[in-house]
Amino acid sequence: QVQLVESGGGLVQAGDSLRLSCAASGGSLTNYRMGWFRQAPGKEREFVAAIRWTRGTTYYSPSLKYRVTISRDNAKNTMYLHMSSLRPEDTAVYHCAAGWQSGVYTDTATEAYTDWGPGTQVTVSS
């Protein structure tokens, strides 16, 4: 089991940029997939981006791919999400997640992930 802790959220203005971090502990992330999801009040949890830890292959939500970049630092066991041109509709709790990379679910599905962080709040004011 992997323990995950997000950081970097906060209150920003529309148009600003923000970088979220997800620190992982509890074991090697070799052959894991890692993802970012977000959940706004009253809405379903939404896929943002994912990365295959070993090869670095990335996946993005089509609606967000021009404004977000996912990356990782293998030495620090930390994943990042850089977001730019933030909008009020980006306001949500952002969660990172980890899961074994093999399985029937695609990287965009919440079911593909077994370990979740508590989340970090991002609030974008207009």
Side-chain angles (χ1 to χ4, degrees):
Q1 189 174 9
V2 177
Q3 289 80 47
L4 304 169
V5 178
E6 305 92 341
S7 61
L11 174 62
V12 298
Q13 292 189 336
D16 285 351
S17 297
L18 201 62
R19 189 182 78 162
L20 306 181
S21 300
C22 172
S25 61
S28 170
L29 294 177
T30 301
N31 295 323
Y32 267 76
R33 56 181 136 190
M34 303 283 291
W36 285 100
F37 290 77
R38 67 184 186 182
Q39 189 163 20
K43 294 190 175 181
E44 298 277 323
R45 191 163 292 191
E46 175 189 16
F47 171 74
V48 177
I51 188 167
R52 295 292 180 98
W53 196 262
T54 302
R55 292 195 172 186
T57 308
T58 57
Y59 306 87
Y60 291 97
S61 164
S63 64
L64 296 170
K65 64 180 180 179
Y66 297 114
R67 297 194 294 119
V68 302
T69 302
I70 191 171
S71 61
R72 81 219 191 282
D73 184 328
N74 288 30
K76 295 182 178 180
N77 256 22
T78 299
M79 176 176 67
Y80 304 98
L81 182 71
H82 184 267
M83 302 185 291
S84 61
S85 302
L86 284 162
R87 305 167 182 172
E89 52 265 39
D90 294 318
T91 295
V93 176
Y94 285 72
H95 297 270
C96 64
W100 192 249
Q101 69 180 18
S102 62
V104 300
Y105 297 105
T106 68
D107 294 63
T108 64
T110 57
E111 293 88 346
Y113 302 87
T114 54
D115 303 304
W116 292 81
T120 185
Q121 176 72 46
V122 172
T123 303
V124 185
S125 64
S126 57

PDB file of all heavy atoms in Angstrom, residues 99-111:
ATOM      1  N   GLY A  99      -1.977   3.309  -8.360  1.00  0.00           N
ATOM      2  CA  GLY A  99      -2.519   1.988  -8.627  1.00  0.00           C
ATOM      3  C   GLY A  99      -1.567   1.175  -9.476  1.00  0.00           C
ATOM      4  O   GLY A  99      -0.746   1.750 -10.211  1.00  0.00           O
ATOM      5  N   TRP A 100      -1.670  -0.130  -9.368  1.00  0.00           N
ATOM      6  CA  TRP A 100      -0.850  -1.008 -10.196  1.00  0.00           C
ATOM      7  C   TRP A 100      -1.204  -0.755 -11.647  1.00  0.00           C
ATOM      8  O   TRP A 100      -2.367  -0.608 -12.001  1.00  0.00           O
ATOM      9  CB  TRP A 100      -1.124  -2.461  -9.813  1.00  0.00           C
ATOM     10  CG  TRP A 100      -0.178  -3.452 -10.373  1.00  0.00           C
ATOM     11  CD1 TRP A 100      -0.418  -4.396 -11.316  1.00  0.00           C
ATOM     12  CD2 TRP A 100       1.203  -3.607 -10.031  1.00  0.00           C
ATOM     13  NE1 TRP A 100       0.708  -5.130 -11.571  1.00  0.00           N
ATOM     14  CE2 TRP A 100       1.723  -4.670 -10.786  1.00  0.00           C
ATOM     15  CE3 TRP A 100       2.054  -2.949  -9.126  1.00  0.00           C
ATOM     16  CZ2 TRP A 100       3.044  -5.087 -10.685  1.00  0.00           C
ATOM     17  CZ3 TRP A 100       3.361  -3.370  -9.023  1.00  0.00           C
ATOM     18  CH2 TRP A 100       3.846  -4.428  -9.805  1.00  0.00           C
ATOM     19  N   GLN A 101      -0.176  -0.690 -12.516  1.00  0.00           N
ATOM     20  CA  GLN A 101      -0.429  -0.237 -13.880  1.00  0.00           C
ATOM     21  C   GLN A 101      -1.153  -1.248 -14.746  1.00  0.00           C
ATOM     22  O   GLN A 101      -1.723  -0.871 -15.773  1.00  0.00           O
ATOM     23  CB  GLN A 101       0.878   0.185 -14.554  1.00  0.00           C
ATOM     24  CG  GLN A 101       1.821  -0.954 -14.850  1.00  0.00           C
ATOM     25  CD  GLN A 101       3.100  -0.441 -15.518  1.00  0.00           C
ATOM     26  OE1 GLN A 101       3.411   0.750 -15.459  1.00  0.00           O
ATOM     27  NE2 GLN A 101       3.840  -1.337 -16.136  1.00  0.00           N
ATOM     28  N   SER A 102      -1.149  -2.511 -14.374  1.00  0.00           N
ATOM     29  CA  SER A 102      -1.878  -3.496 -15.173  1.00  0.00           C
ATOM     30  C   SER A 102      -3.299  -3.606 -14.647  1.00  0.00           C
ATOM     31  O   SER A 102      -3.585  -3.255 -13.506  1.00  0.00           O
ATOM     32  CB  SER A 102      -1.179  -4.844 -15.109  1.00  0.00           C
ATOM     33  OG  SER A 102      -1.155  -5.332 -13.785  1.00  0.00           O
ATOM     34  N   GLY A 103      -4.186  -4.081 -15.455  1.00  0.00           N
ATOM     35  CA  GLY A 103      -5.572  -4.222 -15.045  1.00  0.00           C
ATOM     36  C   GLY A 103      -6.512  -3.868 -16.173  1.00  0.00           C
ATOM     37  O   GLY A 103      -6.098  -3.414 -17.234  1.00  0.00           O
ATOM     38  N   VAL A 104      -7.784  -4.009 -15.923  1.00  0.00           N
ATOM     39  CA  VAL A 104      -8.777  -3.807 -16.974  1.00  0.00           C
ATOM     40  C   VAL A 104      -9.191  -2.361 -17.128  1.00  0.00           C
ATOM     41  O   VAL A 104      -9.825  -1.993 -18.113  1.00  0.00           O
ATOM     42  CB  VAL A 104     -10.025  -4.678 -16.731  1.00  0.00           C
ATOM     43  CG1 VAL A 104      -9.648  -6.152 -16.709  1.00  0.00           C
ATOM     44  CG2 VAL A 104     -10.704  -4.289 -15.419  1.00  0.00           C
ATOM     45  N   TYR A 105      -8.865  -1.524 -16.179  1.00  0.00           N
ATOM     46  CA  TYR A 105      -9.321  -0.146 -16.233  1.00  0.00           C
ATOM     47  C   TYR A 105      -8.273   0.753 -16.894  1.00  0.00           C
ATOM     48  O   TYR A 105      -7.066   0.555 -16.725  1.00  0.00           O
ATOM     49  CB  TYR A 105      -9.623   0.369 -14.832  1.00  0.00           C
ATOM     50  CG  TYR A 105     -10.751  -0.371 -14.146  1.00  0.00           C
ATOM     51  CD1 TYR A 105     -10.499  -1.287 -13.127  1.00  0.00           C
ATOM     52  CD2 TYR A 105     -12.066  -0.167 -14.525  1.00  0.00           C
ATOM     53  CE1 TYR A 105     -11.525  -1.973 -12.503  1.00  0.00           C
ATOM     54  CE2 TYR A 105     -13.102  -0.842 -13.908  1.00  0.00           C
ATOM     55  CZ  TYR A 105     -12.822  -1.745 -12.911  1.00  0.00           C
ATOM     56  OH  TYR A 105     -13.845  -2.425 -12.296  1.00  0.00           O
ATOM     57  N   THR A 106      -8.757   1.758 -17.589  1.00  0.00           N
ATOM     58  CA  THR A 106      -7.848   2.731 -18.177  1.00  0.00           C
ATOM     59  C   THR A 106      -7.365   3.690 -17.096  1.00  0.00           C
ATOM     60  O   THR A 106      -7.941   3.770 -16.003  1.00  0.00           O
ATOM     61  CB  THR A 106      -8.533   3.534 -19.284  1.00  0.00           C
ATOM     62  OG1 THR A 106      -9.542   4.370 -18.683  1.00  0.00           O
ATOM     63  CG2 THR A 106      -9.186   2.621 -20.317  1.00  0.00           C
ATOM     64  N   ASP A 107      -6.322   4.436 -17.422  1.00  0.00           N
ATOM     65  CA  ASP A 107      -5.741   5.358 -16.446  1.00  0.00           C
ATOM     66  C   ASP A 107      -6.684   6.493 -16.076  1.00  0.00           C
ATOM     67  O   ASP A 107      -6.438   7.187 -15.089  1.00  0.00           O
ATOM     68  CB  ASP A 107      -4.440   5.947 -16.994  1.00  0.00           C
ATOM     69  CG  ASP A 107      -3.376   4.887 -17.141  1.00  0.00           C
ATOM     70  OD1 ASP A 107      -3.585   3.946 -17.937  1.00  0.00           O
ATOM     71  OD2 ASP A 107      -2.332   4.996 -16.483  1.00  0.00           O
ATOM     72  N   THR A 108      -7.732   6.695 -16.842  1.00  0.00           N
ATOM     73  CA  THR A 108      -8.669   7.782 -16.568  1.00  0.00           C
ATOM     74  C   THR A 108      -9.751   7.399 -15.565  1.00  0.00           C
ATOM     75  O   THR A 108     -10.497   8.263 -15.113  1.00  0.00           O
ATOM     76  CB  THR A 108      -9.349   8.237 -17.867  1.00  0.00           C
ATOM     77  OG1 THR A 108     -10.139   7.153 -18.374  1.00  0.00           O
ATOM     78  CG2 THR A 108      -8.331   8.633 -18.917  1.00  0.00           C
ATOM     79  N   ALA A 109      -9.829   6.128 -15.215  1.00  0.00           N
ATOM     80  CA  ALA A 109     -10.903   5.643 -14.349  1.00  0.00           C
ATOM     81  C   ALA A 109     -10.481   5.623 -12.887  1.00  0.00           C
ATOM     82  O   ALA A 109      -9.374   5.183 -12.556  1.00  0.00           O
ATOM     83  CB  ALA A 109     -11.316   4.235 -14.781  1.00  0.00           C
ATOM     84  N   THR A 110     -11.363   6.026 -12.000  1.00  0.00           N
ATOM     85  CA  THR A 110     -11.040   5.986 -10.576  1.00  0.00           C
ATOM     86  C   THR A 110     -10.805   4.555 -10.109  1.00  0.00           C
ATOM     87  O   THR A 110     -10.007   4.316  -9.194  1.00  0.00           O
ATOM     88  CB  THR A 110     -12.168   6.607  -9.743  1.00  0.00           C
ATOM     89  OG1 THR A 110     -13.392   5.922 -10.022  1.00  0.00           O
ATOM     90  CG2 THR A 110     -12.340   8.088 -10.053  1.00  0.00           C
ATOM     91  N   GLU A 111     -11.466   3.608 -10.768  1.00  0.00           N
ATOM     92  CA  GLU A 111     -11.324   2.196 -10.374  1.00  0.00           C
ATOM     93  C   GLU A 111      -9.922   1.650 -10.619  1.00  0.00           C
ATOM     94  O   GLU A 111      -9.576   0.595 -10.084  1.00  0.00           O
ATOM     95  CB  GLU A 111     -12.338   1.335 -11.150  1.00  0.00           C
ATOM     96  CG  GLU A 111     -13.797   1.600 -10.798  1.00  0.00           C
ATOM     97  CD  GLU A 111     -14.397   2.715 -11.640  1.00  0.00           C
ATOM     98  OE1 GLU A 111     -13.633   3.451 -12.302  1.00  0.00           O
ATOM     99  OE2 GLU A 111     -15.635   2.842 -11.621  1.00  0.00           O
TER     100      GLU A 111
END
